[in-house]
Amino acid sequence: MKITSDFLVIGSGIAGLAYALKVADQGQVAVVTKRTVEETATSRAQGGIAAVSAKNDSFAEHIEDTMVAGAFLSDEEVVRLVVEGGPDAIRDLVSWGVQFNRKQDRSFDLTREGGHSHRRILHYQDLTGREIERALVEAIRSHPNINLYEEHIAIDLITARRHGGKNEDRCLGAYVLDIANREVVTFGAPITVLATGGAGKVYLYTCNPDIATGDGVAMAYRAGATVANMEFMQFHPTTLFHPHAKSFLISEAVRGEGAVLKRSDGTPFMESYHQLKDLAPRDIVARAIDNEMKVRGEDNVFLDISHRSADYIKDRFPHIYSTCLSYGIDMTREPIPVVPAAHYLCGGVRVDHWGETDLPNLFAIGETSCTGLHGANRLASNSLLEGAVYAERAAQRCLERHRDIDTRYPSVPAWDCGNATDSDEEVVVAHNWDEIRRCMWNYVGIVRSNKRLVRARRRIQMIQDEITDYYWDFFVTSDLVELRNIATVAELIVRCALERKESRGLHYTIDYPETDDANWKRPTLVRKPF
């Protein structure tokens, strides 16, 4: 089966859906998403979206906060264009129906998060991402030029070079597994956009949804695009620690509204690590918590906002309050037990200022991309901002490109399954999945060493050899596709971590504990040899 469109979008979070809405008036758009359209990392974003809107705030201060948080590895030109694009991005979201919390005078009710010098976070209670996703999904469902394909998982990109192209290489679309019908569908499009989100499931403990398996990064790398800064995996400092909770995130905004991190005896500890105390950037806070747990031999620390009024807490954080209460924790009366968990990939597919990769006609936006905004550590609530701004920029460039493309629907071959058969050994997939995630958590976590990284590289290579044999022998399944992708992403994280011989931002290694601007104030780049 073959499906053609003018624009192929893989992923359905803020970046993918905003892009689809931007280009849909000029052509047919196919949006492919591997679960339901609402099942995205965007939907889980609690805190909000950072954008300068208060009179006492400025672009210059937001830029400075972003550069500091990114350990000055961020591309300042990119930071400027994203920050200055913030107000327009907010206007677009509001025009699509997003309801942000407002004060009585109708101005935005702004909150503050770690690393920010001002209150500049727009939010909808503590369910900002869910509100953004709701509005965007309603908008795309009502647009006649957008076709949505749920329960479809992309397997690999289709490129001209791999299929006998004699001219310059370019992306022609993607092979996609229709999960329900167990059929591989060929999606052909002159322009393909990766908006597949992050890769938190590469680690054993993560607050990401189950879909976060690094699909876009893995597919782009296999297709020949450059990948950058994969060593910078952000660990969110405060995830609910409870035996029955599946890594529920406690928003940065809780600390922004006065919550304090404490030891089990009730002693605050962040003042010993950073002058901003509990509002320090995430890399600082995560390492501080990791150190406290190791030094004291404890499984968690505590986040305490019980000094604020109960009515305020319930009104400002209704989702967090009700979720904690369901596990027997009343955050209005007692501290919340928390631990760090893998949260956000600051690296990804390297793109230019318009979101295009170095594989022509392949774009990457949102968390799957590496624009240069985040550097070595993402500033809180800059992720939704980046997704919205780059959706607009990519749409501009794609519409220009679309007018110049002679053949709307490229000729691409159908999927060839060769001699593959049904598998009777799916235990291999489950075992390798678990082994990769435990290996990454134990050896490539918050604190690293060359010895641990080399050990991880060796084990992941052995697993990849098994996956390769299995992949070509049996029909593809969604589990196998995701396993193949997390193995690829794990390899890329380890390779980049071994290459960067310094500690900067989210990458901290005991072998090179200092920052080395002279040699390493630059991105780490990886490209597959052919």
Side-chain angles (χ1 to χ4, degrees):
M1 182 177 177
K2 182 177 179 180
I3 294 172
T4 56
S5 61
D6 297 289
F7 309 95
L8 170 61
V9 180
I10 305 174
S12 59
I14 185 174
L17 296 188
Y19 171 89
L21 290 168
K22 289 281 185 178
V23 301
D25 288 343
Q26 304 301 318
Q28 292 292 318
V29 184
V31 176
V32 169
T33 187
K34 65 181 182 181
R35 301 290 187 269
T36 62
V37 66
E38 297 90 356
E39 193 170 343
T40 65
T42 294
S43 294
R44 293 195 177 196
Q46 297 173 355
I49 180 169
V52 173
S53 57
K55 292 181 179 179
N56 67 337
D57 198 2
S58 69
F59 291 147
E61 288 169 295
H62 192 177
I63 290 168
E64 177 66 13
D65 291 345
T66 301
M67 294 297 297
V68 170
F72 295 97
L73 194 68
S74 302
D75 182 325
E76 191 165 0
E77 186 176 354
V78 171
V79 174
R80 183 175 303 281
L81 70 86
V82 172
V83 167
E84 293 181 353
D88 285 342
I90 297 301
R91 280 190 285 272
D92 281 340
L93 292 172
V94 171
S95 73
W96 288 321
V98 175
Q99 302 291 323
F100 292 110
N101 280 77
R102 295 177 184 264
K103 299 178 181 178
Q104 288 186 344
D105 63 1
R106 300 302 297 160
S107 64
F108 293 118
D109 177 32
L110 304 175
T111 189
R112 185 181 176 190
E113 296 181 350
H116 288 274
S117 57
H118 289 276
R119 299 178 75 90
R120 65 167 68 98
I121 315 300
L122 290 80
H123 66 97
Y124 176 77
Q125 297 179 328
D126 57 349
L127 292 166
T128 309
R130 187 182 298 181
E131 168 61 15
I132 290 172
E133 188 77 15
R134 176 203 62 78
L136 293 179
V137 169
E138 287 184 7
I140 68 154
R141 287 195 186 279
S142 63
H143 201 293
N145 285 353
I146 300 177
N147 294 306
L148 178 63
Y149 298 88
E150 298 177 284
E151 303 292 337
H152 281 64
I153 182 170
I155 303 170
D156 265 322
L157 297 171
I158 305 170
T159 63
R161 179 187 54 78
R162 286 187 175 176
H163 296 285
K166 296 180 181 179
N167 300 320
E168 181 183 3
D169 196 15
R170 61 191 177 103
C171 187
L172 306 174
Y175 293 119
V176 177
L177 175 65
D178 177 345
I179 298 171
N181 295 314
R182 300 183 64 191
E183 176 186 5
V184 177
V185 182
T186 302
F187 278 78
I191 293 171
T192 299
V193 179
L194 296 172
T196 56
K201 294 296 285 187
V202 173
Y203 285 87
L204 185 61
Y205 301 110
T206 177
C207 49
N208 285 181
D210 288 342
I211 59 168
T213 51
D215 303 331
V217 174
M219 288 190 295
Y221 173 74
R222 289 194 294 265
T226 299
V227 172
N229 290 352
M230 293 296 289
E231 68 270 39
F232 299 122
M233 171 62 78
Q234 186 177 80
F235 291 81
H236 197 287
T238 53
T239 302
L240 178 62
F241 180 76
H242 190 279
H244 302 300
K246 189 179 180 182
S247 299
F248 177 72
L249 183 79
I250 306 297
S251 171
E252 186 115 357
V254 178
R255 281 182 287 127
E257 297 299 341
V260 177
L261 285 160
K262 297 181 177 180
R263 301 179 181 122
S264 58
D265 63 4
T267 306
F269 59 83
M270 277 307 301
E271 62 184 7
S272 301
Y273 294 92
H274 198 275
Q275 64 270 24
L276 289 177
K277 301 179 183 178
D278 298 276
L279 287 176
R282 287 180 178 174
D283 60 326
I284 304 294
V285 181
R287 279 201 302 277
I289 294 173
D290 182 70
N291 185 64
E292 289 288 326
M293 289 163 54
K294 287 177 178 174
V295 167
R296 300 178 187 283
E298 296 180 341
D299 295 328
N300 63 280
V301 297
F302 294 88
L303 184 66
D304 192 1
I305 195 173
S306 61
H307 56 278
R308 300 297 301 263
S309 73
D311 288 343
Y312 173 81
I313 293 171
K314 293 175 185 178
D315 180 66
R316 177 63 183 84
F317 303 109
H319 181 52
I320 297 174
Y321 170 76
S322 61
T323 301
C324 287
L325 197 62
S326 71
Y327 294 109
I329 302 164
D330 184 349
M331 63 186 287
T332 68
R333 296 174 177 271
E334 59 188 322
I336 306 166
V338 294
V339 291
H343 179 58
Y344 191 90
L345 180 63
C346 292
V349 188
R350 193 186 196 196
V351 298
D352 64 15
H353 291 180
W354 301 96
E356 189 168 15
T357 73
D358 49 11
L359 177 59
N361 294 351
L362 175 67
F363 290 73
I365 53 179
E367 189 175 352
T368 199
S369 69
C370 183
T371 64
L373 172 66
H374 306 306
N377 176 43
R378 176 175 68 85
L379 180 65
S381 289
N382 268 0
S383 52
L384 293 176
L385 173 67
E386 179 190 45
V389 170
Y390 264 84
E392 162 66 23
R393 297 186 66 81
Q396 287 183 37
R397 179 54 52 89
C398 288
L399 289 174
E400 295 170 1
R401 185 75 48 80
H402 184 251
R403 288 192 289 269
D404 297 332
I405 294 175
D406 295 328
T407 304
R408 295 175 66 198
Y409 307 125
S411 176
V412 293
W415 175 260
D416 182 5
C417 63
N419 298 318
T421 61
D422 281 317
S423 170
D424 59 357
E425 297 182 354
E426 296 210 3
V427 66
V428 174
V429 174
H431 175 79
N432 283 337
W433 174 281
D434 184 68
E435 187 171 350
I436 289 171
R437 299 179 69 211
R438 288 184 182 277
C439 176
M440 292 296 290
W441 183 261
N442 290 332
Y443 301 141
V444 200
I446 296 172
V447 177
R448 300 162 179 175
S449 71
N450 281 348
K451 183 177 180 180
R452 295 173 197 165
L453 292 172
V454 169
R455 186 174 295 167
R457 180 177 61 185
R458 185 166 57 246
R459 294 204 179 174
I460 289 166
Q461 182 58 61
M462 291 173 59
I463 295 170
Q464 283 184 304
D465 291 342
E466 287 185 23
I467 293 171
T468 298
D469 291 341
Y470 191 96
Y471 179 79
W472 293 111
D473 287 343
F474 302 109
F475 291 130
V476 293
T477 64
S478 59
D479 287 344
L480 178 55
V481 171
E482 290 183 329
L483 173 64
R484 184 176 178 232
N485 289 337
I486 69 164
T488 299
V489 171
E491 175 203 344
L492 295 173
I493 293 172
V494 172
R495 284 175 60 184
C496 288
L498 278 168
E499 184 173 338
R500 182 170 292 277
K501 294 176 174 54
E502 66 160 357
S503 289
R504 184 186 296 270
L506 300 165
H507 173 68
Y508 184 84
T509 169
I510 61 176
D511 292 297
Y512 305 97
E514 303 300 324
T515 299
D516 181 2
D517 282 347
N519 296 304
W520 285 103
K521 199 174 181 181
R522 58 179 175 82
T524 310
L525 306 177
V526 182
R527 191 171 187 180
K528 184 176 181 178
F530 286 101

